[in-house]
């Protein structure tokens, strides 16, 4: 019986039995790390000890597990309980976001497990956000909203952090609304349906008072994936986003962060089209991506459903837990859940699109609290959920895109340890996946009919047009939610094709109880109304062809993985190559990559600082000081005072030796780093050590000071410091230091503009 479950029982001393698990490597499982065409390899290196060996033993797979690779967090983040950055990529992303100007639109692309959530929390709870302002975080599921709310509350106990859903106790929802009006709500997690519905007026009023600091859309790729089919609210919320920007007082625009772990060329193009602004603000990308090293991938084709059940039985008897079993259809989820229970796995949960809100919440609570260790689910389950120890992700289906497959596999190994992905598929799964891969676009003929009907209902309002979303196309006899949904999808398709901009959607109720409410959409035409077959084909046809071609490419990639003609790694690297977003390479393994910083980062300095250093453009300026002729305490006091004044005047980055950063006091003075951060314009300060100054480091270009302490007097500074490229780079350096390029002369004679510390301090005090 032990052998049936992959174990052997050995007799030991004193009548005891030692139970040992066999390594399990069935011949019918094919590794997906390479293609069938690669004859030089017969097995993936990870399979030498069995399919589940690495996952069972918690093998570390990601370098972020090494404390040596962690960076000390910038000041302000320890207030959130964050002492270390997970990686250079996370550090530079947070720094760019914190120093981005109000009104910016950033697409943040970081792999699962890279600390993406902290990027949003930093924007919401650190820097100027700590002083006040509401951060709205749009999440795809209510379960995820409450999951992230609990995590955020741990980072900032006592802050007003809440999640909104329909059916909240009136006292709770009323308190949230009151805090929004009073400017006391700090973070609110919300679904797109609630944001464009019940909370629209409250959020708009807050924006009009300048009370919204950030709008963050988590899992932003769903804006394009779901918005084209059954959840158009993900795209109609962009109309509200534009209206919120218009409502903001001058100079009080909020930042917009679009967060995702993956982005494809099609997703990027759609986001770029959707999130454009009238003032010319462009969406810019902060991306530092690589393929995840945690999963080991396997696959097997099953010729019958009975064969799949037998293989699934063997897998789940040997597999580590927790595990997720993904399917495509709700009926399949229910069937597999019953099957798992029938096999004796009573700790099995179920989540699918037709679950009641209560059933879904109960299942997720059990999953989060480890009361269940196997979850049968459809695609939406687990989106963004931070359960780190999932060891196995099973697919009893064929996902319609590589991106969906990779996203779902991404639910495993979030703790940076090995996990396993296994895909068991049949010919019927292949047929279903191929059918689902076709974009759900309204047909040309029906699309034109619906648009002509909507356009006929239009009421002009200046350059805008208000359309009746209840309008019935010819042949329709009754109004319905389905009719409204297809009218919205028609407008979304026209918006993606660049024909119009969806400015607003809304519902109005009459004063009496008679009649249905008016549901309307306000649009701005960018082109002439396509009311003929020719103009429709010219304006919409290109987008439809583009969407169909992209879907065909995506399905072809999935099919190549299944038939083994291409390696999974090769397909994934090609899928996520997006040159237009600045993603020119997708490394197979984590690398010390950082996102390319945007050009519009806050870089203004106070006029008196520009006057003090005698320049108004970019450049390096030496600030020299003498270490002799005065007491050490007096010198340190002047240096500390100067650093504090510099941060208040616009310096946003400081570099200094690790020993000076970590000490609590500098001689008789308290370490000034925290006070410098509080005086900085954004209440945020980048703190680096000299080892980060590589010759061509891709760092944010913001005003900086490099502090060379008195104990460095007489030693040459590293040449990399002189090569740092910043709009303004002040180097506080003992005048006795030699020029690293010519050791027989002092640094002050190296040809850089220079000013004496005493003169700079006097100018800063004016």
């Amino acid at each position: 019986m032990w052998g049936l479950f992959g174990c052997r029982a050995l007799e030991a001393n004193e009548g005891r039995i030692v139970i040992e698990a066999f390594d399990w490597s069935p011949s019918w499982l094919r590794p997906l790390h390479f293609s069938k065409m690669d004859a030089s390899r017969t097995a993936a290196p990870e399979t030498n000890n069995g399919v589940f060996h690495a996952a069972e033993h918690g093998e570390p797979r990601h370098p972020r597990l090494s404390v040596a690779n962690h960076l000390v967090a910038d000041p302000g983040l320890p207030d959130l309980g964050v002492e270390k950055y997970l990686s250079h990529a996370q550090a530079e992303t947070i720094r760019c976001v914190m120093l981005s100007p109000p009104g910016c639109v950033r697409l943040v692309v970081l792999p699962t497990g890279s600390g993406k959530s902290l990027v949003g929390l930093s924007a919401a709870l650190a820097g100027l956000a700590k002083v006040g302002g509401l951060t709205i975080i749009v999440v795809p599921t209510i379960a995820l909203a409450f999951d992230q709310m609990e995590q955020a509350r741990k980072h900032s106990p006592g802050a007003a952090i809440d999640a909104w859903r329909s059916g909240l106790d009136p006292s709770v929802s009323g308190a949230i609304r009151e805090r929004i009006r009073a400017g006391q709500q700090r973070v609110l997690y919300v679904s797109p349906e609630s944001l464009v519905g019940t909370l629209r007026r409250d959020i708009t009023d807050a924006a009009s008072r300048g009370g919204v600091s950030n709008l963050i859309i988590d899992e932003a790729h769903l804006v394009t994936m779901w918005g084209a089919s059954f959840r158009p609210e993900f795209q109609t919320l962009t109309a509200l986003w534009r209206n919120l920007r218009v409502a903001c007082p001058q100079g009080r625009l909020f930042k917009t962060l679009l967060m995702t772990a993956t982005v494809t060329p099609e997703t990027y193009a759609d986001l770029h089209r959707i999130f454009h602004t009238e003032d010319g603000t462009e969406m810019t990308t902060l991306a530092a991506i690589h393929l995840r090293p945690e999963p080991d991938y396997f696959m097997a084709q099953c010729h019958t459903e009975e064969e799949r059940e037998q293989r699934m039985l063997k897998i789940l008897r040997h597999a580590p837990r927790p595990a997720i079993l993904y399917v495509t259809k709700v009926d399949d989820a229910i069937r597999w859940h019953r099957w798992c229970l029938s096999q004796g796995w009573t700790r099995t949960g179920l989540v699918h699109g037709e679950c009641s809100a209560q059933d879904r919440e109960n299942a997720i609570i059990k999953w989060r609290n480890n009361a269940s260790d196997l979850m049968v689910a459809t695609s939406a389950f687990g989106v963004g959920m931070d359960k780190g120890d999932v060891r196995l992700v099973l697919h009893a289906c064929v996902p319609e895109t590589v991106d969906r497959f990779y996203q779902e596999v991404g639910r495993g190994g979030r703790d940076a340890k090995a996990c396993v992905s296994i895909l068991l598929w049949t010919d019927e799964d292949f047929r279903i996946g191929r059918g689902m891969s076709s974009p759900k676009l309204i047909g040309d003929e029906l699309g034109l009919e619906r648009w002509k009907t909507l356009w006929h209902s239009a009421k002009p309002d200046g350059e805008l047009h208000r359309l009746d979303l209840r309008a019935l196309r010819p042949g329709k006899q009754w109004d319905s939610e389905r009719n409204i949904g297809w009218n919205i999808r028609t407008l979304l398709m026209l918006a993606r094709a660049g024909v119009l901009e969806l400015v607003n959607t809304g519902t109005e109720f009459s004063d009496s109880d008679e009649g249905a409410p008016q549901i309307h959409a306000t649009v701005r035409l960018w082109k002439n109304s396509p009311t003929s077959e020719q103009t429709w084909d010219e304006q919409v046809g290109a987008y439809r062809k583009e969407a169909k071609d992209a879907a065909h490419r995506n399905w072809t990639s999935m099919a190549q993985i299944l038939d083994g003609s291409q390696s999974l790694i090769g397909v994934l690297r090609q899928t996520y190559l997006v040159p237009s977003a600045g993603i020119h390479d997708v490394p197979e393994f984590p690398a010390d990559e950082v996102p390319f910083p945007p050009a519009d980062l806050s870089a203004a300095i106070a006029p008196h600082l520009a006057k003090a250093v005698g320049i108004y453009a970019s450049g390096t300026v030496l600030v020299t000081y003498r270490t002799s002729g005065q007491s050490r305490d007096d010198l340190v006091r002047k240096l500390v005072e100067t650093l504090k004044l510099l941060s208040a005047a616009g310096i946003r980055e400081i570099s200094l030796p690790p020993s000076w950063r970590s000490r609590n006091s500098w001689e008789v003075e308290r370490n000034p780093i925290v006070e410098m951060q509080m005086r900085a314009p954004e209440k945020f300060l980048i703190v680096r050590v000299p080892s980060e100054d590589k010759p061509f480091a891709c760092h944010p270009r913001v005003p900086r000071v490099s502090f060379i302490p008195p104990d460095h007097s007489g030693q040459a500074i590293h040449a990399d410091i002189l090569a740092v490229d910043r709009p303004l780079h002040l180097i506080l350096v003992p005048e006795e230091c030699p020029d690293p390029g010519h050791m027989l002369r002092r640094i002050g004679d190296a040809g850089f503009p220079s000013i004496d510390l005493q003169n700079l301090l006097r100018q800063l005090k004016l």
Side-chain angles (χ1 to χ4, degrees):
M1 290 180 68
W2 281 112
L4 180 64
F5 289 87
C7 300
R8 66 161 63 95
L10 304 175
E11 291 187 7
N13 295 332
E14 301 176 358
R16 291 178 300 161
I17 297 176
V18 175
I19 307 301
E20 182 181 72
F22 291 115
D23 280 330
W24 185 68
S25 295
S27 59
W28 44 266
L29 268 185
R30 175 170 69 85
L32 289 181
H33 296 72
F34 56 94
S35 71
K36 286 182 177 178
M37 309 305 292
D38 187 354
S40 64
R41 299 173 64 182
T42 57
E46 294 83 0
T47 68
N48 291 343
N49 292 315
V51 170
F52 299 122
H53 183 86
E56 287 174 333
H57 290 79
E59 179 181 297
R61 285 287 175 85
H62 199 291
R64 73 179 175 88
L65 283 181
S66 170
V67 176
N69 288 312
H70 291 187
L71 302 172
V72 177
D74 293 310
L77 295 185
D79 293 343
L80 303 180
V82 179
E83 301 290 340
K84 301 276 189 177
Y85 288 123
L86 293 179
S87 64
H88 286 275
Q90 185 195 48
E92 298 306 326
T93 302
I94 289 176
R95 289 162 173 171
C96 286
V97 166
M98 295 300 294
L99 296 178
S100 290
C104 70
V105 183
R106 303 281 189 246
L107 173 62
V108 178
V109 189
L110 288 176
T112 297
S114 297
K116 196 165 57 272
S117 296
L118 183 60
V119 177
L121 281 180
S122 299
L125 298 170
L128 282 176
K130 188 176 182 180
V131 180
L134 169 65
T135 292
I136 304 160
I137 303 181
V138 183
V139 293
T141 66
I142 296 300
L144 178 58
F146 280 83
D147 184 66
Q148 292 197 2
M149 177 192 72
E150 294 298 332
Q151 297 300 319
R153 285 178 173 178
K154 293 176 183 177
H155 283 284
S156 189
I161 301 172
D162 293 281
W164 182 278
R165 69 174 177 190
S166 60
L168 275 178
D169 185 279
S171 62
V172 176
S173 60
I176 293 174
R177 291 183 190 273
E178 181 57 37
R179 285 196 294 271
I180 292 174
R181 285 191 290 270
Q184 297 171 344
Q185 188 71 36
R186 286 293 165 263
V187 181
L188 186 62
Y189 292 91
V190 62
S191 70
E193 289 85 353
S194 294
L195 186 59
V196 303
T198 54
L199 282 173
R200 175 193 291 262
R201 181 173 297 177
D202 300 89
I203 300 302
T204 302
D205 289 345
S208 67
R209 298 189 300 269
V212 177
S213 299
N214 305 282
L215 176 62
I216 302 174
I217 301 180
D218 197 16
E219 308 293 343
H221 62 283
L222 299 181
V223 171
T224 62
M225 290 176 62
W226 287 4
S229 54
F230 63 91
R231 288 188 75 181
E233 293 83 3
F234 261 96
Q235 282 184 349
T236 57
L237 72 83
T238 60
L240 175 61
W241 169 75
R242 291 192 184 88
N243 289 330
L244 291 178
R245 286 176 63 94
V246 171
C248 291
Q250 187 172 4
R252 301 292 296 276
L253 278 172
F254 52 84
K255 298 178 185 178
T256 301
L257 303 182
L258 311 174
M259 317 272 282
T260 183
T262 63
V263 64
T264 64
E266 297 77 29
T267 299
Y268 176 79
D270 278 337
L271 290 174
H272 196 268
R273 273 191 292 256
I274 294 169
F275 288 94
H276 72 272
T277 62
E278 293 184 14
D279 60 9
T281 301
E282 287 284 331
M283 181 185 78
T284 54
T285 306
L286 295 169
I289 68 172
H290 55 76
L291 297 185
R292 295 190 58 214
E294 295 88 354
D296 293 329
Y297 297 90
F298 300 89
M299 185 203 76
Q301 180 180 6
C302 303
H303 297 93
T304 65
E305 192 62 40
E306 291 72 21
E307 182 181 36
R308 174 156 59 187
E309 286 188 7
Q310 288 301 313
R311 289 178 171 181
M312 188 72 74
L313 186 63
K314 292 178 180 178
I315 289 170
L316 289 174
R317 279 177 171 172
H318 290 85
R321 304 288 199 273
I324 304 173
L325 171 57
Y326 275 115
V327 296
T328 295
K329 296 159 58 177
V330 171
D331 288 347
D332 289 338
I334 295 171
R335 179 174 62 84
W336 278 108
H337 179 249
R338 289 173 178 166
W339 181 84
C340 288
L341 293 177
S342 72
Q343 299 301 320
W345 294 306
T346 57
R347 291 164 52 89
T348 301
L350 173 66
V351 172
H352 55 73
E354 296 179 9
C355 281
S356 69
Q358 189 61 53
D359 288 344
R360 177 187 292 264
E361 185 172 343
N362 290 340
I364 289 175
I365 289 173
K366 288 184 177 180
W367 176 251
R368 186 187 300 127
N369 295 336
N370 298 318
S372 60
D373 53 23
L374 175 59
M375 184 66 74
V376 181
T378 51
S379 186
F381 171 73
V383 173
M385 188 175 293
D386 192 21
K387 184 174 178 61
D389 60 346
V390 175
R391 301 270 72 89
L392 170 67
V393 178
L394 276 162
H395 280 90
C397 61
V398 172
E400 66 275 15
T401 67
V402 175
D403 189 49
R404 175 193 155 187
F405 173 66
Y406 189 64
Q407 286 277 348
E408 290 172 357
V409 171
R411 316 290 184 243
R414 286 175 175 245
D415 55 4
K417 298 178 182 178
C419 65
V420 176
S421 161
I422 298 178
L423 193 156
L424 297 182
W425 62 282
T426 65
D427 288 339
E428 176 65 10
D429 296 324
F430 189 91
R431 185 190 64 79
I432 292 172
R434 182 171 56 192
M436 291 184 62
S437 69
S438 301
K440 306 301 184 291
L441 300 174
I442 189 169
D444 283 326
E445 182 178 349
L446 291 179
L448 176 57
E449 285 184 2
R450 283 192 176 275
W451 169 247
K452 288 166 67 174
T453 303
L454 288 166
W455 186 242
H456 182 71
S457 74
K459 295 180 180 179
D461 181 12
E463 63 175 358
L464 304 178
H465 296 82
R466 181 169 161 143
L467 312 177
D468 180 9
L469 288 177
R470 289 191 177 276
L472 292 171
R473 68 173 177 83
K476 292 286 289 184
Q477 300 299 319
W478 61 86
D479 187 15
S480 66
E481 291 297 321
R482 182 178 176 85
N483 175 62
I484 296 170
W486 278 109
N487 281 339
I488 291 175
R489 289 182 180 91
T490 301
L491 296 181
L492 292 176
M493 185 170 65
L494 289 166
R496 286 188 171 195
V499 176
L500 56 80
E501 173 188 324
L502 187 59
V503 176
N504 200 1
T505 60
T507 303
E508 293 181 2
F509 296 88
S510 60
D511 294 333
S512 67
D513 292 333
E514 298 178 3
Q518 295 181 352
I519 303 177
H520 59 82
T522 304
V523 303
R524 176 185 288 107
L525 286 182
W526 296 118
K527 300 177 181 179
N528 292 329
S529 175
T531 53
S532 69
E533 291 185 11
Q534 180 179 349
T535 54
W536 179 272
D537 186 61
E538 290 173 353
Q539 297 185 31
V540 185
Y543 166 72
R544 286 175 55 81
K545 184 178 185 305
E546 175 187 320
K548 289 181 177 180
D549 289 347
H552 177 72
R553 288 194 301 271
N554 287 333
W555 175 249
T556 298
S557 296
M558 193 72 222
Q560 288 174 335
I561 293 171
L562 296 178
D563 66 22
S565 60
Q566 295 291 332
S567 72
L568 174 68
I569 299 303
V571 169
L572 289 175
R573 294 189 67 177
Q574 190 62 37
T575 298
Y576 298 116
L577 200 67
V578 192
S580 55
I583 304 174
H584 301 283
D585 185 30
V586 182
E588 183 176 348
F589 301 102
D592 198 13
E593 299 287 338
V594 297
F596 191 84
D600 61 348
L601 297 180
S602 301
I605 58 174
H608 66 277
L609 175 56
K611 180 180 179 182
V613 298
I615 62 168
Y616 294 89
S618 61
T620 298
V621 178
L622 302 178
V623 180
T624 59
Y625 61 90
R626 184 177 300 174
T627 58
S628 59
Q630 58 183 319
S631 72
R632 173 79 170 218
D633 288 350
D634 286 343
L635 173 60
V636 171
R637 285 193 185 96
K638 289 179 182 177
L639 290 168
V640 168
E641 185 179 11
T642 301
L643 289 172
K644 293 177 181 178
L645 291 171
L646 285 173
S647 62
I651 293 296
R652 293 169 174 84
E653 176 185 352
I654 182 173
S655 171
L656 72 171
S659 60
W660 283 74
R661 175 179 183 170
S662 60
R663 62 180 63 174
N664 293 325
S665 60
W666 293 6
E667 311 298 339
V668 294
E669 293 289 308
R670 180 183 298 177
N671 188 320
I673 298 298
V674 173
E675 188 173 343
M676 288 180 67
Q677 171 240 328
M678 294 305 299
R679 290 193 182 194
E682 290 77 25
K683 300 291 186 289
F684 182 81
L685 185 72
I686 298 174
V687 181
R688 299 192 188 278
V689 295
S691 61
E692 294 183 64
D693 293 328
K694 299 176 182 178
F696 301 103
C698 188
H699 289 160
R701 296 190 71 256
V702 293
R704 157 174 162 154
V705 58
S706 294
F707 175 56
I708 313 299
D711 53 17
H712 203 88
S713 178
Q715 305 174 43
I717 65 173
H718 201 286
D720 287 349
I721 292 180
L722 296 174
V724 167
D725 181 21
R726 297 292 189 273
L728 174 64
H729 182 201
L730 303 178
I731 303 179
L732 268 67
V733 57
E735 64 179 23
E736 298 89 352
C737 285
D739 174 7
H742 197 302
M743 296 296 291
L744 297 180
R745 66 184 181 191
R746 292 187 172 188
I747 185 71
D749 299 324
F752 291 99
S754 64
I755 184 174
D756 178 71
L757 173 66
Q758 191 66 37
N759 291 334
L760 176 63
L761 185 57
R762 184 167 52 251
Q763 292 285 342
L764 292 173
K765 288 181 177 180
L766 293 179

